[in-house]
Amino acid sequence: MRVLTGIQPSGRLHLGNYLGAIRQSVKLQEKADDCFYFIADYHALTTVSDPALLREAIHGVALDFLAAGLDPEKVVFFRQSDVPLVQELAWLLSIVMPMSRLELAHSYKDKLAHGKEATHGLFAYPVLMAADILLYRSDLVPVGKDQKQHLEITRDLAVKFNLKFGEVFKLPEGFIPEDVATVPGTDGQKMSKSYGNTIPLSGTDKEIKKAIMGIVTDSAPVEAPKDPETNTIYKIYRLLASPEEAELMADRFRAGGYGYGDAKKELLRAYHALLDPFRERRAALEAHPDDVRDILASGAAKARVEAEKTLHAARRAVGLE
Ligand code: ADP
Ligand code: TRP
């Protein structure tokens, strides 16, 4: 079984990305026969227009994955744009991609609703994502819920192409883990870089403290009993702490006499207990940027070998070879 996933370098990653995506992907390296994980920099270009920021984000995502325990011996870890063959496959897929389907894609409509310009890159985003998945003959693609439709488009494209030109592509399965909770942000909505409500993964101690102490709460006095289930501090805490610790905080809230300030301090402690080892590894890697570059280059070389095989088959099928 081959597992493939991509993550966009569109800014600094946050706690939601770590708990919701990176940690799961890194765990899967133990179960899969092989893994292809990549930094989706071509995709990020649809939202990032500052070149310096993009470069920084690409390096940052590489550090995040490696610090989270990605093992380059088990995972082919690379940058999407280091294997530009994916663009040729995207073109071959676009030949069978119905416009009407792309016009209905949620993520495209969503971005337009948020005032983004309707560019061709944004529109064709799902076709490039299908090319990522099909090029590397993936079996299983772990993604967040918001990517479900992109996986359906990928499968439909593979079926359509295979029917028209012969069996070239393997049909991938999506893997959307149900047990991965949505991490709330400091304002109680889903944590997302677009909402400015994140707790950073790689920030300084000061930045982390500021984010956690800034979690929005109601004005209930310290003495009042409080419902942990409606409380953002507790909802984040239980994702970081042990079940026993989480139960203890819930009991304290219910009993009353436990203030939000104390709960935030406890959350900060749990954050550091879980993430300091990660942050130390990240800092160590940061001191050796050449090592990170070498890992990505060697991943790209392996990815290219796979990419060439599939692309040959696709080119032959359509009559380019
Ligand atoms: P953002 O919402 O900050 O732009 P992305 O959409 O780039 O994050 O998400 C990258 C990955 O991180 C996806 O797999 C997504 O499901 C996961 N992710 C993002 N935010 C959260 C969250 N708040 N809780 C759980 N997982 C998340
Ligand atoms: N669109 C995905 C996201 O925003 C990133 C991505 C690009 C991806 N290509 C992929 C994910 C291929 C899985 C497989 O999260």
Side-chain angles (χ1 to χ4, degrees), residues 210-284:
K210 189 166 167 232
I212 289 181
M213 290 301 167
I215 293 175
V216 179
T217 56
D218 59 28
S219 53
V222 174
E223 324 72 79
K226 302 172 186 71
D227 179 6
E229 297 305 324
T230 58
N231 180 320
T232 308
I233 305 169
Y234 173 73
K235 286 199 221 163
I236 302 176
Y237 183 71
R238 72 176 166 201
L239 298 171
L240 300 180
S242 68
E244 297 75 31
E245 287 170 327
E247 204 34 53
L248 191 64
M249 182 184 279
D251 287 344
R252 283 189 170 144
F253 270 130
R254 285 190 207 104
Y258 187 56
Y260 293 130
D262 284 339
K264 286 178 184 176
K265 279 189 204 135
E266 174 54 19
L267 173 59
L268 186 62
R269 186 206 59 76
Y271 175 101
H272 282 295
L274 181 72
L275 286 160
D276 280 358
F278 163 89
R279 295 170 72 226
E280 278 157 26
R281 282 194 297 273
R282 196 181 192 280

Side-chain angles (χ1 to χ4, degrees), residues 126-316:
V127 182
L128 181 58
M129 180 158 162
D132 290 325
I133 296 171
L134 300 176
L135 186 61
Y136 299 107
R137 316 186 69 75
S138 322
D139 297 302
L140 201 67
V141 185
V143 284
K145 286 191 203 93
D146 56 327
Q147 299 296 313
K148 194 166 174 235
Q149 194 179 37
H150 290 158
L151 284 176
E152 287 160 8
I153 292 176
T154 302
R155 286 174 59 90
D156 291 352
L157 266 179
V159 169
K160 225 167 158 194
F161 189 100
N162 285 352
L163 271 175
K164 194 159 179 180
F165 296 111
E167 287 293 317
V168 172
F169 299 121
K170 202 169 183 179
L171 273 191
E173 295 289 338
F175 175 57
I176 302 173
E178 284 303 326
D179 60 335
V180 175
T182 299
V183 182
T186 53
D187 59 358
Q189 299 185 73
K190 171 187 183 267
M191 188 179 291
S192 169
K193 65 180 162 300
S194 357
Y195 304 149
N197 63 357
T198 60
I199 299 175
L201 253 189
S202 50
T204 59
D205 285 354
K206 213 171 143 192
E207 284 171 310
I208 291 154
K209 188 168 179 193
K210 189 166 167 232
I212 289 181
M213 290 301 167
I215 293 175
V216 179
T217 56
D218 59 28
S219 53
V222 174
E223 324 72 79
K226 302 172 186 71
D227 179 6
E229 297 305 324
T230 58
N231 180 320
T232 308
I233 305 169
Y234 173 73
K235 286 199 221 163
I236 302 176
Y237 183 71
R238 72 176 166 201
L239 298 171
L240 300 180
S242 68
E244 297 75 31
E245 287 170 327
E247 204 34 53
L248 191 64
M249 182 184 279
D251 287 344
R252 283 189 170 144
F253 270 130
R254 285 190 207 104
Y258 187 56
Y260 293 130
D262 284 339
K264 286 178 184 176
K265 279 189 204 135
E266 174 54 19
L267 173 59
L268 186 62
R269 186 206 59 76
Y271 175 101
H272 282 295
L274 181 72
L275 286 160
D276 280 358
F278 163 89
R279 295 170 72 226
E280 278 157 26
R281 282 194 297 273
R282 196 181 192 280
L285 285 159
E286 212 166 357
H288 297 99
D290 286 349
D291 293 355
V292 177
R293 226 162 286 143
D294 288 349
I295 290 170
L296 290 176
S298 124
K302 290 183 205 155
R304 208 167 297 124
V305 173
E306 283 297 301
E308 275 166 3
K309 282 191 224 157
T310 312
L311 195 63
H312 259 306
R315 287 174 56 102
R316 242 190 335 263

